[in-house]
Amino acid sequence: MHRIQQITSHLTSSKNSGHSKVGVKSPEDVVIVAAVRTPQTKSRRGGFKDTLPEELLAAVLKGVLERTNIDPKLIEDIAVGNVLPAGGGATVARAAALYAGIPHTTSLNTVNRQCSSGLQAVVQIAHEIALDQIEIGIGAGVESMTFGYGPNAMPTETSEKIFANQESSDCLLPMGVTSDNVAKEFGVTREKQDAFSAESHRRAAEAQEAGFFDEEIIPVKTQWKDPKTDEEKEIVVDKDDGIRKGTTAKVLSKLKPAFAKDGLTTAGTSSQVSDGAAAVLLMKRKTAEKLKLPILGKFVQAAVVGVPARIMGIGPAFAIPKVLEQAGIGINDVDIFEINEAFASQAIYSIEKLGLDLGKVNPLGGAIAIGHPLGATGARQISTLLYELRRTKQHVGVTSMCIGTGMGMAAVFEAEW
């Protein structure tokens, strides 16, 4: 932990090292011209409980096309983050793109870096554009935890030889156990976790009531079966349905530990198991200007780090300093941090270790309230970040998340309006 204290100390100063990549415009910049998402709904109970992941993905791909009126033939490549589907979701993702009206000449791949998969997909496309491999592409993410989450998502057979190694064995730890490990090892109390989680719901509820999510959300028409009557009907899902207005720390304090009798993590201090999708359309600034498309923001930098699997939640505390150093800025230069709330324990640890202003972190709430469809979150956080930066007339944002098996990822974006 001494290493991160050293890194943090020299990152807090403004424009601390090297040449900053923020605040400068170039025709070669990789920019975002559309960022959309579906609502995020409760797994097995919410609005998308009967909606397959390819249908969610098709909805956001169509949403990108409709938002921009771009000729689908101009899109050269698509990367889709997902975690749970069989075969890496590659077949159904390709089918979804074709159904959405994107021609077969557009290539597609899926990517799985667990909870950062959606961000990794966007970064892949950004790098392809920066290297002139393609001119226009989409980075997306999707997950139906209704259809994919559970025991079948874990390997059924593993090598005794490989997993006799302790760090290898730690890769199989349930995520909730790693949350308890973080809480116990770094002194993140139950009281802190309950308060943080209640605040996530409060912020998200206020944002939803104020309509702050409306611009990024694509309403989705879908089939839904009433669990009480078995009647199937068509509904329109247009709001996140896991946000609980009125949630308090006192209410959350009554919940029992979810993963161990003496644990500090509960269902209320964990991210919601959710269904959803998100998509981001990227190209160079000169291309956007030629096509007369509005620019939401600029991709600046991304970084990935490794951390111990048994405390995987600390990933953002290492990834954020690394990406800021690469971007040539300090913590105080960042206006908003979108840090995935996989668990309250790890989010609190990262915030406190980096000395972040809590008012700048997840101002509209996070995954504890909004939900965490594994493959979609990384792309969802980009849309939430950019629209909130634009709404509040701020510029620099960082998105970050911990990653199962022990990693962290972070990226810097600069909003424009």
Side-chain angles (χ1 to χ4, degrees):
M1 294 303 104
H2 179 61
R3 170 176 165 249
I4 192 167
Q5 291 171 334
Q6 289 180 317
I7 293 172
T8 303
S9 67
H10 77 258
L11 284 178
T12 52
S13 60
S14 181
K15 305 295 185 293
N16 68 88
S17 62
H19 176 67
S20 173
K21 299 178 181 180
V22 170
V24 180
K25 291 184 179 180
S26 163
E28 299 299 311
D29 289 338
V30 178
V31 299
I32 294 164
V33 300
V36 303
R37 69 175 179 93
T38 68
Q40 297 191 165
T41 70
K42 293 177 285 189
S43 172
R44 297 186 175 91
R45 294 179 293 149
F48 292 141
K49 71 180 182 67
D50 302 308
T51 305
L52 288 159
E54 57 265 36
E55 295 171 315
L56 296 172
L57 178 58
V60 290
L61 294 177
K62 280 186 173 182
V64 163
L65 299 180
E66 291 168 0
R67 283 279 177 97
T68 59
N69 288 318
I70 192 171
D71 182 350
K73 294 177 183 176
L74 297 177
I75 300 167
E76 294 174 82
D77 198 15
I78 300 172
V80 180
N82 59 192
V83 177
L84 301 172
T91 300
V92 294
R94 171 71 166 163
L98 296 169
Y99 174 84
I102 297 170
H104 63 259
T105 50
T106 301
S107 54
L108 180 145
N109 73 284
T110 58
V111 59
N112 181 357
R113 199 192 284 273
Q114 302 207 54
C115 297
S116 70
S117 297
L119 177 57
Q120 185 65 58
V122 172
V123 171
Q124 175 193 316
I125 293 298
H127 288 169
E128 290 179 19
I129 293 168
L131 294 172
D132 292 322
Q133 294 176 325
I134 62 171
E135 194 170 3
I136 299 173
I138 295 175
V142 63
E143 208 73 65
S144 170
M145 297 183 77
T146 293
F147 287 97
Y149 190 59
N152 292 337
M154 295 298 291
T156 54
E157 295 183 21
T158 56
S159 164
E160 288 185 16
K161 178 175 69 175
I162 298 299
F163 288 94
N165 175 283
Q166 184 58 58
E167 282 206 295
S168 300
S169 179
D170 289 344
C171 291
L172 296 177
L173 285 173
M175 294 299 96
V177 172
T178 72
S179 172
D180 279 340
N181 289 343
V182 170
K184 291 174 182 177
E185 190 160 326
F186 301 106
V188 184
T189 66
R190 171 70 188 270
E191 290 73 21
K192 275 188 179 181
Q193 294 179 61
D194 289 336
F196 180 88
S197 302
E199 179 65 6
S200 182
H201 280 283
R202 186 194 68 79
R203 293 182 182 190
E206 287 187 2
Q208 189 174 63
E209 286 188 354
F212 293 162
F213 296 126
D214 293 353
E215 199 169 4
E216 66 184 272
I217 287 178
I218 296 294
V220 179
K221 188 181 293 186
T222 190
Q223 295 299 120
W224 184 82
K225 184 179 286 189
D226 189 319
K228 294 180 180 178
T229 65
D230 268 352
E231 177 191 0
E232 189 172 292
K233 54 187 175 182
E234 188 174 78
I235 64 170
V236 175
V237 182
D238 59 4
K239 291 188 183 301
D240 304 316
D241 68 14
I243 299 168
R244 296 191 297 275
K245 182 180 178 181
T247 297
T248 65
K250 183 177 180 180
V251 169
L252 293 176
S253 70
K254 296 176 182 178
L255 297 176
K256 294 180 179 179
F259 302 99
K261 288 183 178 180
D262 63 343
L264 296 170
T265 303
T266 71
T269 59
S270 305
S271 57
Q272 294 191 36
V273 179
S274 310
D275 305 327
V280 178
L281 179 63
L282 302 101
M283 61 191 67
K284 284 191 176 179
R285 184 182 300 278
K286 62 185 180 183
T287 306
E289 290 173 348
K290 181 176 69 176
L291 296 175
K292 295 182 171 54
L293 290 171
I295 294 172
L296 300 183
K298 178 178 79 171
F299 167 76
V300 178
Q301 190 76 29
V304 189
V305 300
V307 297
R310 62 176 300 276
I311 49 172
M312 67 91 203
I314 69 173
F318 290 89
I320 290 171
K322 182 175 181 180
V323 79
L324 293 180
E325 186 172 36
Q326 291 177 344
I329 60 175
I331 282 174
N332 294 334
D333 298 308
V334 180
D335 298 308
I336 295 176
F337 293 87
E338 279 288 328
I339 299 177
N340 187 40
E341 298 169 355
F343 299 95
S345 63
Q346 56 82 209
I348 292 167
Y349 168 82
S350 296
I351 291 165
E352 292 184 347
K353 201 66 183 174
L354 295 177
L356 304 183
D357 177 351
L358 190 56
K360 290 184 174 185
V361 180
N362 302 350
L364 307 184
I368 287 171
I370 300 169
H372 177 26
L374 303 177
T377 291
R380 192 280 297 174
Q381 288 186 177
I382 294 170
S383 66
T384 302
L385 176 65
L386 288 177
Y387 280 112
E388 181 62 5
L389 285 168
R390 287 163 60 88
R391 187 187 71 81
T392 56
K393 296 292 187 284
Q394 298 183 96
H395 290 282
V396 182
V398 167
T399 181
S400 184
M401 64 283 298
C402 59
I403 303 168
T405 70
M407 287 174 278
M409 189 169 188
V412 178
F413 295 87
E414 185 176 8
E416 300 181 18
W417 58 85

